[in-house]
């Protein structure tokens, strides 16, 4: 065993995941987390034990509440959110739309949205669409890591909402969430944080940080599976003033009265739209339970150790490769990005040998290190494989 794995208090948790034949170094847990055995069992059993046996009665027996039940579990374990403020459903993209649109409608004559050039494309595209739809001005923070000072320069009395990612999908930069949130509030605006690359791996305190709105996907470090529904957080005191735009029956006050005229349900339920994707959210529950069992501080400690190790190896063995991620662990999420002009052509060869990082144009290889399922041996094998491929 790799000495760092022998010393790792979390190493045994790797056995909780389903094996992936032929994969020798999975370094893409930040794009799609691996399945837990408990999740695979849960999905398999659901069809027979719940769907087939309960049929339509299942909705009353708990399915209808599942988005809020799992939302509360996620909130407590991973988001620092008291019950009644988080829900599961829709994709991150759709939830960004719903929450931004809701914030814009409540913003009075504030008609500017703020986002950064390096934010994930879907967040930028959705904001561009809403700006066009509602006649708003989009103000851009330039490419690069976003500091509280940059945000302070761009927000003002016209700002309705600022949309930023906690961890940059490209560089892995971890933003100063509480400081930026305060800057935005001092300008009288709201903030929406995209937690896709931090949920389940970076300790988070949405309530204590006074965050207004948040979204995130559940298939990265939350191991919910491909296309698993995303989560939304709406701070309790905003729930009655914000109104989301997709007024579906399951977000209405009394769906089964099937009456005339939409009236939103009270609380976080009003942010639902259609029938919840039950099968899609099943894998999330065992994953949240595991995060609860291990605890986010221990997960974060291993995350930092993994990225430190990856950076040390890259410094040592990849001399012509540049590190595009912060060296300061306090400002880094759980992945690092390395850049080299030849990386795009190397990737297929790496994947063929079972070494699986991912590639981001123009020249970046990302190593996503998921603390519960990634070993130090995998990190070493991954960096060595990149070094060998570059030498060829
Ligand atoms: C992965 C990711 C998304 C994905 O959005 P989907 O609607 O699930 O495709 C959105 N934003 C960020 C920051 C991401 O990292």
């Amino acid at each position: 065993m790799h000495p760092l794995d022998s010393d790792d208090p979390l190493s045994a948790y790797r056995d909780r995941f389903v094996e992936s034949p032929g994969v020798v170094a999975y370094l893409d847990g930040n794009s799609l987390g691996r399945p837990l055995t408990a999740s695979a069992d849960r999905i398999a059993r659901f069809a027979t034990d719940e769907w087939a046996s309960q049929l339509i009665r299942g909705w009353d027996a708990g399915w209808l509440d599942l988005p809020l039940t799992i939302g509360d579990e996620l909130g407590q374990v991973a988001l620092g959110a008291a019950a009644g403020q988080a829900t599961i459903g829709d994709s991150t993209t759709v939830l960004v739309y719903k929450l931004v649109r809701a914030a814009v409608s409540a913003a009075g004559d504030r008609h500017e949205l703020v986002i950064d050039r390096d934010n994930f494309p879907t967040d930028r595209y959705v904001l561009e669409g809403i700006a066009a739809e509602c006649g708003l001005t989009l103000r851009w923070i330039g490419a690069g890591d976003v500091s509280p000072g940059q945000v302070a320069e761009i927000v003002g009395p016209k700002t309705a909402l600022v949309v930023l990612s906690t961890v940059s999908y490209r560089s892995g930069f971890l933003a100063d969430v509480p400081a930026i949130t305060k800057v935005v509030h001092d300008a009288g605006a709201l903030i929406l944080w995209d937690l896709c690359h931090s949920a389940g791996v970076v300790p988070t305190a949405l309530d204590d940080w006074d965050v207004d709105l948040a979204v995130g996907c559940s298939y990265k470090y939350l191991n919910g599976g491909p296309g698993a529904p995303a989560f939304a957080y709406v701070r309790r005191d905003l729930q009655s003033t914000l109104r989301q735009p997709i007024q579906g029956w399951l977000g209405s006050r009394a769906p089964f009265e099937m009456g005339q005229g939409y009236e939103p349900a009270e609380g976080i339920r009003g942010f639902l739209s259609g029938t919840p994707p039950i099968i899609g959210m099943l894998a999330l529950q065992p994953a949240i339970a595991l995060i609860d069992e291990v605890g986010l501080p221990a997960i974060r400690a291993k995350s930092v150790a993994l990225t430190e190790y990856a950076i040390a190896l890259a410094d040592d063995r990849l001399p012509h490769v540049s590190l595009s991620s912060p060296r300061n662990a306090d400002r880094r999420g759980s992945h690092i990005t390395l850049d080299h002009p030849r990386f795009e052509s190397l990737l297929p060869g790496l994947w063929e040998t079972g070494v699986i990082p991912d590639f981001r144009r123009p020249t970046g290889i990302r190593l996503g290190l998921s603390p519960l399922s990634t070993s130090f041996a995998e990190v070493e094998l991954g960096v060595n494989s990149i070094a060998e491929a570059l030498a060829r």
Side-chain angles (χ1 to χ4, degrees):
M1 209 193 223
H2 192 291
L4 290 176
D5 287 318
S6 313
D7 289 347
D8 169 20
L10 270 51
S11 65
Y13 290 108
R14 291 186 76 229
D15 299 339
R16 307 269 188 107
F17 293 83
V18 182
E19 278 183 39
S20 304
V23 175
V24 293
Y26 189 60
L27 304 171
D28 215 354
N30 61 328
S31 220
L32 179 65
R34 294 178 53 191
L36 283 166
T37 310
S39 296
D41 292 346
R42 176 99 213 273
I43 291 168
R45 278 202 328 265
F46 180 81
T48 47
D49 295 3
E50 292 178 57
W51 178 6
S53 63
Q54 294 175 344
L55 294 172
I56 192 71
R57 296 166 293 180
W59 288 114
D60 292 328
W63 297 344
L64 268 183
D65 288 329
L66 212 51
L68 308 194
T69 309
I70 302 182
D72 283 348
E73 290 168 4
L74 181 70
Q76 195 221 325
V77 169
L79 305 181
Q85 302 177 101
T87 180
I88 311 288
D90 304 315
S91 64
T92 303
T93 302
V94 170
L95 290 176
V96 170
Y97 179 79
K98 286 165 77 167
L99 297 192
V100 172
R101 196 65 187 67
V104 161
S105 295
D109 54 8
R110 290 172 172 259
H111 53 79
E112 289 183 0
L113 297 174
V114 174
I115 191 168
D116 63 305
R117 286 278 174 206
D118 269 355
N119 211 324
F120 193 83
T122 218
D123 303 60
R124 290 183 276 116
Y125 300 162
V126 168
L127 258 68
E128 286 172 8
I130 291 176
E133 179 190 356
C134 303
L136 307 174
T137 304
L138 210 48
R139 306 261 332 255
W140 295 93
I141 297 172
D145 304 335
V146 179
S147 68
Q150 279 174 303
V151 177
E153 267 171 38
I154 204 164
V155 293
K158 295 181 191 155
T159 313
L161 177 75
V162 177
V163 175
L164 295 171
S165 289
T166 46
V167 171
S168 162
Y169 79 101
R170 190 179 284 281
S171 71
F173 173 76
L174 171 60
D176 188 341
V177 178
I180 291 176
T181 300
K182 184 167 185 313
V183 164
V184 171
H185 287 169
D186 287 348
L190 296 181
I191 188 154
L192 182 152
W193 283 103
D194 185 328
L195 271 51
C196 278
H197 271 91
S198 65
V201 76
V202 177
T204 299
L206 296 181
D207 287 354
D208 287 351
W209 295 340
D210 217 13
V211 166
D212 304 302
L213 305 166
V215 297
C217 47
S218 65
Y219 49 79
K220 292 172 178 165
Y221 298 106
L222 292 172
N223 303 86
F231 63 86
Y233 165 92
V234 181
R235 204 178 71 210
R236 190 184 307 283
D237 61 299
L238 290 172
Q239 291 172 2
S240 54
T241 47
L242 296 190
R243 191 137 162 191
Q244 59 94 0
I246 304 178
Q247 304 186 161
W249 69 311
L250 283 178
S252 74
R253 194 184 46 78
F256 295 98
E257 284 179 18
M258 308 209 161
Q260 297 298 323
Y262 174 82
E263 257 186 71
E266 276 189 13
I268 191 73
R269 194 180 278 282
F271 291 82
L272 299 181
S273 296
T275 303
I278 299 302
I279 292 181
M281 60 183 82
L282 293 178
L284 205 44
Q285 252 174 333
I288 294 169
L290 178 59
I291 294 170
D292 194 26
E293 182 184 336
V294 180
L296 268 174
I299 291 173
R300 172 68 178 164
K302 180 168 176 189
S303 161
V304 169
L306 285 166
T307 52
E308 290 281 345
Y309 183 54
I311 290 171
L313 288 174
D315 285 345
D316 184 42
R317 299 176 197 180
L318 302 173
H320 302 296
V321 165
S322 53
L323 174 71
S324 306
S325 299
R327 284 190 180 270
N328 173 5
D330 292 341
R331 290 271 71 92
R332 192 169 67 228
S334 206
H335 69 272
I336 66 161
T337 297
L338 302 168
D339 276 286
H340 188 282
R342 278 180 53 217
F343 273 167
E344 186 163 19
S345 62
L346 296 190
L347 208 74
L350 291 171
W351 279 35
E352 256 167 47
T353 57
V355 174
I356 309 194
D358 74 9
F359 177 77
R360 284 292 174 264
R361 292 218 150 69
T363 58
I365 275 186
R366 286 192 313 181
L367 306 179
L369 311 174
S370 194
L372 295 172
S373 60
T374 308
S375 67
F376 290 90
E378 281 179 289
V379 176
E380 183 173 41
L381 183 60
V383 174
N384 283 348
S385 302
I386 294 168
E388 283 159 21
L390 276 177
R392 232 171 266 137

